[in-house]
Amino acid sequence: MAAVFLAGGAGYIGSHTAVELLNAGFEVIAADNFSNSSPESIRRVEQITGKSAVLYEADIRDRKAMTEIFRKHKIDAVIHFAGMKAVGESVQKPVEYYRNNLDTTLTLLEVMREEGCSKIIFSSSATVYGAENPVPYTETMPRGICSNPYGWTKAMTEQILEDAAKADPSLSVILLRYFNPIGAHSSGMIGEDPQGIPNNLMPYITQVAVGKREQLTIFGNDYPTPDGTCLRDYIHVVDLAKGHVCAANYILGMQGVEIFNLGTGRPYSVTEIVDAFERVNGIKVPHVYGDRRAGDLAEFYANAEKAREILHWETTLTLEDMCRDSWNWQKQNPNGYR
């Protein structure tokens, strides 16, 4: 049984990935500082799967703590989720974002090298394609100009990992470029639990639906798209998590660096998401249109052929599933894990 270390494993994508890894027979060791997550998520992962995971409260930048964890467990591969992730906040706090998101990576690489672990999967983002590349994005395109510090931390981390692998042929790296994960586990036991005001569309919709917020503001309805609102490639978080299992299986036998898009290849507009949510759940979401938000592109979506061909991964869950599961989670957990 291969052991996978989840850096930042108690967060939204980390906890869903923990479920899928445990169900696939992997041993899961997770560490998190709980700055934007809760230990309750991993307790619920264990309830969902009937299997146990090991969870440490530790900052991934803490070299001593990481060394202790790697010495306690024989870790075969690392999945690196640890990072601050709010685009708007990154513009306000660039230094904090660069310090946190780059330090986690550098510490992991140093400890991995010292402790003989040579496989790392990085939680990257479609934001690294920038505004210059045409849609749909393919993995052969160059990284573009990022529009915010959060995006730059993803692009810089990719570069760091590529350089490290070039210098050390024994290091294998997979860069997973996510599109827009939404949804929750169908049990309603784990889901997205943003601290404070949500930065992403779906948790904002569900918080309006549950009565926590008065209305949704849709930023811009004058984009060059069919209904004037932004088009995005929304992917169910469970499909995304299964992509990590495929990557974990693949990296155990590969050398060098591989990049994979994890998206559906089918973009939906913000208005379509709101309409689908209302239709599927039979609940109204009061919304208004506001000005465009700085840095938002009119559309972006994936070409996910490479992941289908090489990782044998493809999405199976629909927009309806995403909307139903998001509401199921919010309804059962109006205050998240608290």
Side-chain angles (χ1 to χ4, degrees):
M1 184 196 303
V4 179
F5 176 63
L6 305 185
Y12 174 46
I13 298 166
S15 57
H16 286 83
T17 300
V19 167
E20 300 306 326
L21 285 167
L22 288 168
N23 283 339
F26 285 88
E27 185 186 342
V28 170
I29 299 106
D32 207 298
N33 66 0
F34 308 125
S35 61
N36 193 29
S37 61
S38 166
E40 177 63 22
S41 67
I42 298 296
R43 282 196 285 276
R44 295 190 186 185
V45 163
E46 294 180 325
Q47 284 178 271
I48 290 166
T49 60
K51 299 177 180 187
S52 58
V54 180
L55 176 64
Y56 292 95
E57 180 170 359
D59 194 305
I60 307 303
R61 296 171 295 176
D62 181 343
R63 193 164 167 169
K64 184 169 174 285
M66 291 305 105
T67 300
E68 283 173 11
I69 292 168
F70 274 74
R71 286 184 181 169
K72 252 182 219 168
H73 305 272
K74 193 199 168 303
I75 291 167
D76 297 292
V78 171
I79 305 183
H80 178 13
F81 297 107
M84 294 158 73
K85 61 174 190 176
V87 169
E89 185 183 59
S90 78
V91 176
Q92 258 79 58
K93 300 179 174 179
V95 173
E96 289 84 343
Y97 268 68
Y98 288 117
R99 167 66 74 193
N100 184 78
N101 292 7
L102 300 181
D103 270 8
T104 52
T105 305
L106 295 167
T107 301
L108 279 171
L109 283 171
E110 287 169 350
V111 173
M112 285 171 64
R113 185 171 57 196
E114 284 164 12
E115 302 305 322
C117 177
S118 61
K119 313 280 183 190
I120 184 167
I121 297 165
F122 175 56
S123 166
S124 192
S125 164
T127 193
V128 303
Y129 288 109
E132 301 76 26
N133 287 305
V135 290
Y137 298 142
T138 60
E139 295 87 347
T140 52
M141 290 174 174
R143 283 187 286 266
I145 306 289
C146 297
S147 58
N148 55 72
Y150 161 76
W152 279 117
T153 68
K154 292 296 188 187
M156 288 174 179
T157 298
E158 286 196 359
Q159 187 68 53
I160 289 166
L161 290 166
E162 287 174 351
D163 289 344
K166 204 179 290 177
D168 177 4
S170 72
L171 182 67
S172 300
V173 173
I174 290 181
L175 307 174
L176 294 180
R177 291 177 178 166
Y178 306 165
F179 282 71
N180 288 63
I182 59 174
H185 192 267
S186 59
S187 65
M189 289 175 70
I190 58 172
E192 190 166 8
D193 181 22
Q195 314 292 307
I197 298 169
N199 287 284
N200 297 328
L201 175 64
M202 188 54 86
Y204 210 106
I205 289 173
T206 61
Q207 288 192 11
V208 171
V210 85
K212 281 185 83 169
R213 306 203 178 272
E214 195 181 330
Q215 64 183 19
L216 169 73
T217 300
I218 296 173
F219 299 109
N221 61 345
D222 57 350
Y223 284 96
T225 60
D227 63 21
T229 64
C230 291
L231 286 165
R232 294 289 180 267
D233 189 337
Y234 294 94
I235 174 174
H236 198 297
V237 68
V238 171
D239 277 333
L240 186 71
K242 287 177 176 170
H244 290 73
V245 177
C246 295
N249 280 315
Y250 186 70
I251 202 169
L252 294 174
M254 70 161 261
Q255 294 289 303
V257 179
E258 289 282 6
I259 302 170
F260 296 100
N261 286 336
L262 295 185
T264 65
R266 159 71 163 99
Y268 290 97
S269 74
V270 177
T271 301
E272 280 180 288
I273 296 287
V274 175
D275 290 348
F277 186 90
E278 291 184 332
R279 185 179 71 252
V280 168
N281 298 310
I283 189 161
K284 278 302 197 200
V285 179
H287 56 278
V288 295
Y289 293 96
D291 294 335
R292 292 185 183 192
R293 198 166 48 177
D296 274 350
L297 300 176
E299 60 177 338
F300 65 76
Y301 56 98
N303 175 322
E305 282 301 309
K306 185 181 175 187
R308 184 157 39 246
E309 283 169 21
I310 294 176
L311 298 181
H312 308 298
W313 169 86
E314 55 189 324
T315 59
T316 59
L317 296 163
T318 64
L319 177 59
E320 285 70 24
D321 296 321
M322 299 178 212
C323 292
R324 187 182 308 107
D325 292 340
S326 296
W327 178 231
N328 187 32
W329 151 255
Q330 185 73 72
K331 205 167 46 176
Q332 290 188 47
N333 304 272
N335 298 308
Y337 291 112
R338 289 171 294 291

